[in-house]
Amino acid sequence: MGISRATYYYQPRDKKGKEGRDRELAKRIREICYKYPYYGYRRVTAALRRAGVAVNHKKVAKLMREMSIQVKKRKKFTRTTNSSHNLRVYPNLIKDLVIERINQVWCADITYIGIRVGFVYLAAVIDAFSRKVVGYAIGKSLAAELTIEALRMAIISRDTSDLIHHSDKGIQYCCTDYINLLNSHGI
């Protein structure tokens, strides 16, 4: 006959069946990614296999890329409040207080800011009425000097008569130097 054996046995692929399987697989991948947003293609593949779907991780990665499904990265958590100390803890004076003017209540807190080589700490003092930052300090450690520097900046920029200072029960806000600074300005 003059034709090769492969030509005789050739069977065209069923493209419609493959597209249908891919659509079904994509639907299952989307469901898994919606339920577990931190799963990458390897975990999604494992979840599919546990459900009885025979699939290759390369296929899952390709479909996730085509559907623009990206893994939600988990944020690193850094604890900035150390409440387990033996210093005096003051009562919450603003629990039922209606704030009516600026310089009535200042709120202070510490957070961290991620930078390329790690992170730095930001201590901020905010006027509760105007929501304006009245004092801040940035440093590499959680030492009390950071919060004291932010409070000094706030005291210089604003009037402190008849003022309530509010913060968490962190050791930086309960230390002797910080309390003495508040008391010396009648806060």
Side-chain angles (χ1 to χ4, degrees):
M1 285 186 90
I3 61 171
S4 69
R5 184 180 293 217
T7 305
Y8 178 75
Y9 287 107
Y10 174 75
Q11 291 180 349
R13 289 186 175 178
D14 183 14
K15 288 190 176 186
K16 289 182 180 177
K18 182 183 178 206
E19 289 173 3
R21 286 191 303 272
D22 282 356
R23 258 188 265 117
E24 180 63 32
L25 185 60
K27 180 182 170 192
R28 292 182 98 166
I29 289 171
R30 194 174 290 115
E31 289 171 358
I32 292 169
C33 291
Y34 181 74
K35 189 174 181 180
Y36 303 104
Y38 298 105
Y39 274 19
Y41 72 92
R42 288 183 182 100
R43 283 186 169 181
V44 171
T45 304
L48 288 168
R49 287 181 180 163
R50 281 192 302 270
V53 178
V55 65
N56 187 338
H57 69 280
K58 294 176 188 175
K59 180 73 167 179
V60 173
K62 179 183 173 190
L63 287 173
M64 286 177 70
R65 200 172 32 254
E66 287 174 359
M67 293 186 298
S68 299
I69 296 177
Q70 294 180 346
V71 179
K72 206 175 192 183
K73 292 186 178 179
R74 291 182 193 240
K75 292 185 177 181
K76 293 180 181 177
F77 180 76
T78 302
R79 175 176 245 139
T80 57
T81 303
N82 178 6
S83 300
S84 59
H85 52 76
N86 296 327
L87 300 171
R88 180 176 175 203
V89 176
Y90 292 85
N92 185 0
L93 300 176
I94 67 166
K95 187 174 184 180
D96 296 321
L97 181 70
V98 177
I99 302 170
E100 300 170 339
R101 61 179 172 80
I102 61 170
N103 295 333
Q104 183 180 2
V105 176
W106 285 354
C107 297
D109 203 2
I110 300 174
T111 189
Y112 64 96
I113 302 169
I115 58 175
R116 185 175 296 221
V117 293
F119 51 86
V120 292
Y121 295 100
L122 168 69
V125 180
I126 299 174
D127 185 286
F129 183 78
S130 67
R131 305 296 298 158
K132 183 177 178 185
V133 175
V134 293
Y136 68 92
I138 298 174
K140 292 182 180 179
S141 73
L142 279 171
E145 288 82 26
L146 184 70
T147 55
I148 292 169
E149 187 180 331
L151 182 61
R152 281 193 182 123
M153 182 184 206
I155 289 170
I156 290 169
S157 68
R158 293 290 185 100
D159 177 31
T160 61
S161 59
D162 195 32
L163 175 70
I164 298 172
H165 181 278
H166 180 77
S167 67
D168 57 16
K169 297 182 263 183
I171 195 166
Q172 297 90 347
Y173 298 110
C174 296
C175 73
T176 309
D177 294 338
Y178 199 87
I179 299 300
N180 289 341
L181 185 59
L182 289 171
N183 288 333
S184 67
H185 288 87
I187 303 171

